Amino acid sequence: MYLVIIIVFLLLSFTISSISDYLNAKNLKENLPEEFVGYYDEEKYKKSQNYLKDRTKFSFLSSLTSLIISIVFILVGGFNYVDLFARSFGFGEIVTGLIFVAVLYLLLEITGIPFSAYNTFVIEEKYGFNKTTVKTFVSDIIKNLILMAVIGLPIFAVIVMFFAKYGSLAWIYASVTVILFELLITFIAPVFIMPLFNKYVPLEDGELKTELEKYAKEQDFKMKGLYKMDGSKRSTKTNAFFAGFGKFRRIVLFDTLIAKHTTQELVSVLAHEMGHYKKGHIHKFMIMSFINTIIIFFLLSLFIGNEGLFAAFKMQHISVYGALIFFGFLYTPISMFLSILQNVISRKYEYEADRYSVTTYKNPKAMVEALKKLSVDNLSNLTPHKMKVFMEYSHPPVLDRIKAIRNINIED
Ligand SMILES: [Zn+2]
């Protein structure tokens, strides 16, 4: 029965996301929206639409492949073969579990490489975004594997240990440990993890820095770190974000963003990012993720040692580490629901951050201009379908944001 449930879940999530992608691609409008006249010429607008079509086709093919591989792997007892291999070394539960999960992770990574290479070197390249060299591509994969080994494996070992030893209370211990760990990672990531992938340099002195600091001071925001990141190492796409908290928190602007925007636009963008912080969005998302962790471990604890679940995966032996992996399949619908919920909340927060930027910096024109340029430079879809937005968009469609900004009374 579990086998049927799991395959239905896999098929369902594939079908739902394919329908949303299909509707999204069908929703492309022939005519350029009024707002963007003068920002897109006909040719470039066409290009942005082709970019969406290419990505939609590619994402359909890659999720179809991964669906087929997953189902075949389950049906032929792939998990059991990996388990027998892990057990052949004769270690205890924890080390055997580490081998089991490491082999599965490697298999997943390896099957993903051709797709990620095609995406970077064919699709992104075709639209002029790609700056990733083969060397960067390969070293990213290796760095991710090392991080997984250094961070992922120990935490997996601790969780297996809790569930193997503490039975009914294990979910509490595991939740607390993972939450503390998540906090630690968020705290140190800007200093110890992110620099492995990109260069972060403090923003140099000049008009931009002066203006940003002046604005931050007016808003009584202690600017602890204002960094420029070499986003151009991988792509010409532009972005800005907030990372870390406490002592290591920082605002990061991509070098590509700085190159393409005026000082006023960049201050609006920074004001938006600060808005996320001032409105407590970052902390609220962290708390939601902790609640999610607790729910996962509680539900997981109900399935530990469930023979039916192991039978579905053709397993000869029952193990704690196996349950951790198999439960992930049962969790698919819940995680889909939670990710939709998270996107709904995130879109609301984006409006709030825009409002914060506009009412504090009082330059809606610069904010609108920044959003338009961001859209054009990243060839964003101007007319996404409602279902796609509802399910997958963490940010509202740009035209909705512009409309909302125009409706803000800046004296608020
Ligand atoms: Zn935002």
Side-chain angles (χ1 to χ4, degrees), residues 272-273 276 349-350 353-354 395 401:
H272 170 103
E273 296 304 326
H276 280 308
Y349 286 172
E350 289 306 319
D354 282 347
H395 289 58
R401 283 176 78 180

Side-chain angles (χ1 to χ4, degrees), residues 317-334:
H317 305 275
I318 290 187
S319 58
V320 170
Y321 56 80
L324 289 176
I325 303 295
F326 303 146
F327 172 73
F329 285 88
L330 285 181
Y331 196 68
T332 334
I334 302 176

Side-chain angles (χ1 to χ4, degrees), residues 29 31-33 41-49:
K29 302 280 186 285
N31 295 324
L32 180 66
D41 56 34
E42 203 162 305
E43 193 193 346
K44 193 157 188 202
Y45 187 54
K46 197 93 220 127
K47 188 176 161 193
S48 81
Q49 302 196 324

Side-chain angles (χ1 to χ4, degrees), residues 6-18:
I6 284 161
I7 290 181
V8 168
F9 282 174
L10 288 172
L11 290 172
L12 214 60
S13 81
F14 171 76
T15 313
I16 293 174
S17 75
S18 301

